[in-house]
Amino acid sequence: FDICCRGSELTVTTSCFAEWKKGKNSNGSAKVIPGVPKDHTHQGKNVRVFFFDDNINLNLGSTAGAEDSKGICNLRDVTTGEYIDFSAGRNGFSCDSAFRHTLIHHSTKYNNVLVQANILDAMSNIDYFRSLVRQYSRKGEHVLVYMDVNGTILW
């Protein structure tokens, strides 16, 4: 988290596919995404973290963000290291939809926005990513964006 916050240019991180498979494709063994509590600052900056992935499985409903649910997001509190359930109705998270096929989980307790990206929406909206970042971030925040590198993101 600290390394990503200090960066001013593109920073690339990686995850371990083998560990995720060993963990039965569960959120708790997936890509680690920093969960930033609402009032937490990093080096005097308010930080908002976005995670765009087409396989985040927000469409699973009330258990989408559970640690043992099938998914790709291992959301961890940056102050405690504890897993954060990002299911709608848990930890201040609620679900919105955008465009035609995109789902978004955002929280009143954490400065996190999790987006189930959709290639059809991205292809038909030139400002797809920027518009979502603008809509869910606040003026003056330091924005970190984590993206899965595949067809939707490369588009």
Side-chain angles (χ1 to χ4, degrees), residues 67-138:
E67 187 171 12
D68 59 350
S69 285
K70 185 174 180 174
I72 201 80
C73 180
N74 188 350
L75 189 62
R76 296 280 170 171
D77 189 303
V78 297
T79 60
T80 66
E82 295 295 316
Y83 183 84
I84 302 164
D85 186 337
F86 55 89
S87 302
R90 304 288 309 240
N91 295 304
F93 279 93
S94 58
C95 183
D96 289 343
S97 60
F99 307 102
R100 292 188 70 200
H101 308 285
T102 300
L103 294 175
I104 303 125
H105 279 203
H106 57 98
S107 177
T108 56
K109 294 182 180 180
Y110 287 89
N111 289 342
N112 287 85
V113 180
L114 311 172
V115 181
Q116 185 170 326
N118 180 275
I119 194 165
L120 298 174
D121 287 343
M123 288 175 61
S124 58
N125 296 282
I126 194 163
D127 224 19
Y128 180 76
F129 297 103
R130 268 191 296 207
S131 67
L132 291 170
V133 170
R134 283 185 190 129
Q135 181 177 350
Y136 288 94
S137 61
R138 295 189 177 102

Side-chain angles (χ1 to χ4, degrees), residues 14 28 36 40 52 56 59 93 104 129 143 146 151:
T14 188
V36 183
H40 180 78
F52 289 90
I56 196 169
N59 58 315
F93 279 93
I104 303 125
F129 297 103
V143 174
Y146 291 79

